[in-house]
Amino acid sequence: MSPASTGASTTVGAAKTVPSSDTRMAPGRPGYRRMSFALFLSGVATFALLYSTQALLPLISDGFGVSASDASWTVAAATGGLALFVIPMSALSERFGRRTVMTASLAVAVTVGLLVPFAPSLGVLVVLRGVQGAALAGLPASAQAYLAEEVRPRALVTAIGLFVAGNSVGGMSGRVITGWVAQEWGWRVAVGVIGVLAVGCAVAFRLLLPAPRHFTAGSPHPRRLLSTVRDHLANPLLRRLYAIGALFMTVFGGVYTVIGYRLTEEPFSLPQGIVGSIFLVYLVGTVSASTAGRLVGRLGRRGALYLGGGTTAAGLLLSLADWLPLVLLGLVLITAGFFAGHAVASSAVSGTAAHGRAQASAIYQSAYYIGSSAGSTVGALAFHASGWSGTVGVGLLAVAGVVAITVLGSVAARRQVLAGAH
């Protein structure tokens, strides 16, 4: 199967011979477990901080006397800040090193996280969240570039899957913890607890992550950066992957921004602690992301993307029911489909880029979090206008986009095969 048909590189997950002199990490080799756990913790801290207000939006709405769409900006500002700064931060990682930038990013983000509980108004809260998102921008692209440089190609999908699994654990634990804490002590104490949790993850990350052995410093000159970005955007394979990441995250951002409002209203009327516990379904994402490599091995990358999109769509349709068990099953399917699709697409970006890997990953992350911001905002607006069915409609349109783009990849691959035959 041609890479163009899947939106992936044949170097990722391919069974190819690695020279015995290759000093990159792999399962069973020194440093691999430490590296995996360190990046897992960085993913936990990133998603716990990034979405720390998402499960608390009904309480924030009540506390500041604002609507769901206004409160949703506390999520959109963080993801938007990350989207805007991820490419500049990736340039800094080319100059100063992946580990240095990731450490600095976490340090700033956790510091801001300890200030968030004291925001006196919604406007100040939104600004702080934007700064926090901008700081976190140094994590995703640098982490994927670090893995692409330090891990053997055969282990890359699995390694990135573990990093994405850390994202799912962070998103889950942050929402569950904030839900129960907020029920007793309010949303301010809840986000403060997440800030303290993130401090612990940041310290452990810095102590555990092995020093890079294969990093070569590059130039952060603006012209070179723009040239690299243009090269990546000119690659049709990468463009498809960027669009797929954005569309998957549009679904996810919309669903999880609005679900709290739906579950606290009729016919469910669940308390805040129970609503927070709904996010335990993120454990499904942990499993689906960490097994993405095996999924690609069985179905191919194109098949894995179709499966991720179809699973997500089925979950959206099930969530329309007014019976809580079906809604929960719908959330499980949405989460599994999203994390599987994201792990497949993001690992393909890292393997496809022959140069400027940090920038290639940064563009993916930028598109991904633009999708999150768009999903949060549009999903909340659709909910305000049409209820949960409006949010589901937005999600189904995004899934249709994922399928259409994957089909375009198949068509492009077929054309390449026919051209080669002639």
Side-chain angles (χ1 to χ4, degrees):
M1 185 183 300
S2 168
S5 69
T6 62
S9 169
T10 54
T11 61
V12 182
K16 67 178 190 176
T17 302
V18 178
S20 59
S21 60
D22 192 338
T23 58
R24 287 174 293 181
M25 289 180 283
R29 292 183 60 83
Y32 184 83
R33 287 187 177 180
R34 285 180 55 204
M35 176 275 299
S36 297
F37 189 50
L39 289 177
F40 177 87
L41 290 176
S42 75
V44 170
T46 298
F47 258 48
L49 288 171
L50 194 63
Y51 293 102
S52 60
T53 63
Q54 194 174 57
L56 305 173
L57 292 180
L59 295 180
I60 292 173
S61 290
D62 292 341
F64 290 121
V66 298
S67 67
S69 57
D70 288 335
S72 71
W73 281 104
T74 64
V75 179
T79 55
L82 193 154
L84 288 174
F85 280 85
V86 68
I87 293 177
M89 293 292 275
S90 73
L92 292 179
S93 81
E94 294 282 5
R95 174 65 181 85
F96 298 105
R98 320 302 186 195
R99 189 170 70 161
T100 299
V101 169
M102 287 189 285
T103 301
S105 293
L106 274 178
V108 173
V110 298
T111 301
V112 175
L114 297 176
L115 298 176
V116 164
F118 304 101
S121 66
L122 180 65
V124 173
L125 178 59
V126 168
V127 170
L128 287 173
R129 295 282 292 147
V131 172
Q132 194 171 49
L136 288 171
L139 263 297
S142 297
Q144 292 193 28
Y146 176 94
L147 288 169
E149 292 163 352
E150 305 298 329
V151 175
R152 291 183 177 183
R154 293 178 64 181
L156 185 57
V157 173
T158 299
I160 290 181
L162 289 171
F163 173 64
V164 174
N167 294 346
S168 71
V169 170
M172 176 202 68
S173 60
R175 292 164 170 92
V176 172
I177 291 170
T178 56
W180 285 106
V181 173
Q183 183 171 301
E184 297 296 328
W185 296 288
W187 70 266
R188 294 181 185 275
V189 175
V191 293
V193 169
I194 293 302
V196 173
L197 170 68
V199 169
C201 289
V203 171
F205 162 80
R206 185 60 181 83
L207 293 175
L208 290 171
L209 189 69
R213 300 179 63 185
H214 302 276
F215 169 73
T216 302
S219 170
H221 193 282
R223 285 187 178 179
R224 182 168 295 183
L225 173 63
L226 290 174
S227 176
T228 302
V229 170
R230 281 197 301 267
D231 287 346
H232 293 323
L233 291 177
N235 185 328
L237 187 148
L238 288 175
R239 287 201 304 268
R240 288 195 292 273
L241 291 170
Y242 298 150
I244 286 171
L247 289 168
F248 265 123
M249 195 54 167
T250 297
V251 181
F252 201 67
V255 165
Y256 279 100
T257 293
V258 174
I259 192 64
Y261 289 98
R262 189 187 185 210
L263 294 179
T264 55
E265 296 177 354
E266 295 290 342
F268 306 110
S269 301
L270 299 179
Q272 187 64 45
I274 298 297
V275 170
S277 296
I278 296 298
F279 291 91
L280 284 169
V281 298
Y282 262 53
L283 288 171
V284 176
T286 304
V287 174
S288 66
S290 60
T291 58
R294 291 199 294 272
L295 185 65
V296 169
R298 291 182 179 182
L299 303 176
R301 292 183 179 85
R302 182 176 58 185
L305 289 173
Y306 282 134
L307 180 61
T311 302
T312 302
L316 287 166
L317 293 173
L318 281 176
S319 73
L320 289 168
D322 286 335
W323 188 40
L324 187 59
L326 281 182
V327 174
L328 295 179
L329 178 58
L331 291 176
V332 166
L333 294 178
I334 292 167
T335 304
F338 162 74
F339 274 105
H342 168 44
V344 171
S346 61
S347 62
V349 168
S350 297
T352 297
H355 70 287
R357 287 192 179 97
Q359 282 73 50
S361 294
I363 298 170
Y364 177 85
Q365 295 295 332
S366 182
Y368 176 79
Y369 286 108
I370 287 172
S372 178
S373 294
S376 299
T377 303
V378 177
L381 289 171
F383 181 77
H384 180 73
S386 306
W388 181 250
S389 61
T391 303
V392 168
V394 171
L396 289 173
L397 285 174
V399 171
V402 170
V403 173
I405 291 168
T406 308
V407 170
L408 286 176
S410 301
V411 171
R414 194 169 294 113
R415 287 176 177 171
Q416 285 185 356
V417 171
L418 291 174
H422 293 83

